[in-house]
Amino acid sequence: MRHSLLLSAWPRDAAGRSFLGVVAACVVLVPVLNLLVPASSPLHVSTYVLTLVGKYLCYAMLAVAVDLVWGFCGILSLGHAAFFALGGYAMGMYLMRQIGPRGVYGNPILPDFMVFLNWKELPWFWYGFDSFPFAALMIVAVPAALAFVFGYLAFRSRVTGVYLSIITQALSYALLLAFFRNDMGFGGNNGFTDFKELLGFDLQSDRTRVVLLVITAVALGLSYLACRFIESSRAGRVIRAIRDAESRTRFLGYRVESYKLWVFVFSAAVSGVAGALYVPQVGIINPSEFAPINSIEVVIWVAVGGRGTLHGAALGAILINYAKTYFTGAFPEVWLYALGAIFVLVTVFLPRGVMGLIPQRREAAEPA
């Protein structure tokens, strides 16, 4: 049975297999080039590049989650950055509890920002985050629970289209404003930073960063295969029918709201895991991760890569964020213009995204 599940999830197209091959190459090559190749060699992967690659893989995982709900179910979510950030905050709470007396103020229980704000005791919602299993559960459960409540109310009310997009964006903005408040107990504007270790391993060590990158790459591959399994299953055919003709699918007797709800919840859980892997590699989490512009950028990643392909969404996330890294360093004032231009050009000339070029090239190569 496990063999049949793997076969149904395994991509049959060359692009999907190539994507998994690239992910596998990251698992093998990047650690070797960082740990075994000397820094004097042009092939050496520096700590900076290692962190960038890990961050891009987290973004690719988020893009795959968004593509599942948008590309296959037709739910244009402009709030998935909220689920990403909630997973990141759950991981950040665990990492802050691990600092203990090594913080600036040396308090073994309270994080530094609570001591600075004259908090006398740890808030109840911080209990349990000194345990990694509990934190890991919250990384998945909190985004999934929020998605369930939000999705249940929205889908039951049959909110669709642009109206659903607007309220998902409003949800993200509401969380942004809430987490900016110092009295919320999440660090206010500064958020969480100055992490020391994860499961006893020094987060500043290259070996720890390599392990985190490998875990992220594996999580991306597993998330991709899980989404492929959903897409290729009977339920996947139903959610595609919902995307193409929701009223007709409901008329045929399918419980449309239930299908949309569980896909939305699963996508939120994957986004939370991506956010949790992002935080220890980047070293900070703050309310800016909830910003609506972040969710809009994720949609652009998916559109540029190729909506409804999964691997195209991941490719779009990596390409756009690489461009962002370059432009914000070389020409910071033109990045937003460049992003807008990329989105417009792709929408007009490549409606199927970058991945749409592959079948076009194959058709052009075939004899008439």
Side-chain angles (χ1 to χ4, degrees), residues 44-167:
H44 176 73
V45 172
S46 66
T47 302
Y48 171 73
V49 174
L50 189 69
T51 302
L52 276 183
V53 173
K55 183 171 73 171
Y56 294 164
L57 293 178
C58 292
Y59 286 153
M61 193 172 170
L62 174 60
V64 168
V66 171
D67 194 26
L68 178 65
V69 294
W70 183 36
F72 293 98
C73 200
I75 302 172
L76 177 55
S77 171
L78 297 181
H80 259 59
F83 306 128
F84 180 84
L86 286 174
Y89 265 93
M91 174 61 82
M93 292 169 75
Y94 167 76
L95 295 175
M96 292 297 289
R97 292 298 307 274
Q98 298 308 298
I99 295 176
R102 292 171 294 176
V104 174
Y105 297 100
N107 192 301
I109 303 297
L110 299 181
D112 282 339
F113 73 88
M114 290 187 184
V115 179
F116 178 77
L117 295 173
N118 294 319
W119 289 58
K120 302 304 180 184
E121 59 183 16
L122 196 69
W124 63 268
F125 48 84
W126 277 76
Y127 293 160
F129 278 96
D130 55 339
S131 167
F132 182 77
F134 179 83
L137 176 63
M138 292 298 103
I139 285 166
V140 176
V142 172
L146 177 63
F148 178 83
V149 173
F150 176 86
Y152 178 80
L153 296 174
F155 300 143
R156 187 184 182 189
S157 302
R158 297 191 180 181
V159 179
T160 59
V162 65
Y163 302 104
L164 181 64
S165 301
I166 290 173
I167 61 174

Side-chain angles (χ1 to χ4, degrees), residues 25-288:
C26 285
V27 171
V28 177
L29 292 179
V30 175
V32 170
L33 295 178
N34 175 260
L35 297 176
L36 301 182
V37 176
S40 58
S41 171
L43 297 178
H44 176 73
V45 172
S46 66
T47 302
Y48 171 73
V49 174
L50 189 69
T51 302
L52 276 183
V53 173
K55 183 171 73 171
Y56 294 164
L57 293 178
C58 292
Y59 286 153
M61 193 172 170
L62 174 60
V64 168
V66 171
D67 194 26
L68 178 65
V69 294
W70 183 36
F72 293 98
C73 200
I75 302 172
L76 177 55
S77 171
L78 297 181
H80 259 59
F83 306 128
F84 180 84
L86 286 174
Y89 265 93
M91 174 61 82
M93 292 169 75
Y94 167 76
L95 295 175
M96 292 297 289
R97 292 298 307 274
Q98 298 308 298
I99 295 176
R102 292 171 294 176
V104 174
Y105 297 100
N107 192 301
I109 303 297
L110 299 181
D112 282 339
F113 73 88
M114 290 187 184
V115 179
F116 178 77
L117 295 173
N118 294 319
W119 289 58
K120 302 304 180 184
E121 59 183 16
L122 196 69
W124 63 268
F125 48 84
W126 277 76
Y127 293 160
F129 278 96
D130 55 339
S131 167
F132 182 77
F134 179 83
L137 176 63
M138 292 298 103
I139 285 166
V140 176
V142 172
L146 177 63
F148 178 83
V149 173
F150 176 86
Y152 178 80
L153 296 174
F155 300 143
R156 187 184 182 189
S157 302
R158 297 191 180 181
V159 179
T160 59
V162 65
Y163 302 104
L164 181 64
S165 301
I166 290 173
I167 61 174
T168 56
Q169 193 173 45
L171 171 68
S172 181
Y173 189 63
L175 288 170
L176 168 70
L177 296 179
F179 274 71
F180 260 119
R181 296 170 58 90
N182 285 328
D183 56 5
M184 282 289 289
F186 295 107
N189 181 52
N190 295 321
F192 305 150
T193 189
D194 194 31
F195 307 130
K196 305 296 185 185
E197 62 181 37
L198 174 62
L199 293 173
F201 296 97
D202 181 12
L203 285 174
Q204 305 307 316
S205 167
D206 279 358
R207 292 183 181 274
T208 305
R209 292 180 180 274
V210 163
V211 172
L212 284 171
L213 183 141
V214 170
I215 293 173
T216 304
V218 171
L220 171 60
L222 292 176
S223 300
Y224 172 77
L225 289 174
C227 292
R228 284 297 295 250
F229 172 73
I230 293 172
E231 176 266 330
S232 62
S233 66
R234 179 178 178 274
R237 292 192 289 272
V238 175
I239 65 174
R240 287 198 298 273
I242 293 171
R243 175 197 63 191
D244 298 333
E246 181 173 333
S247 298
R248 185 178 300 177
T249 307
R250 182 178 286 109
F251 179 76
L252 291 174
Y254 290 100
R255 299 184 62 180
V256 169
E257 291 76 20
S258 297
Y259 281 93
K260 293 169 74 173
L261 180 59
W262 71 258
V263 171
F264 191 68
V265 170
F266 177 79
S267 175
V270 173
S271 301
V273 174
L277 292 169
Y278 170 86
V279 168
Q281 297 183 82
V282 176
I284 187 172
I285 179 73
N286 58 42
S288 65

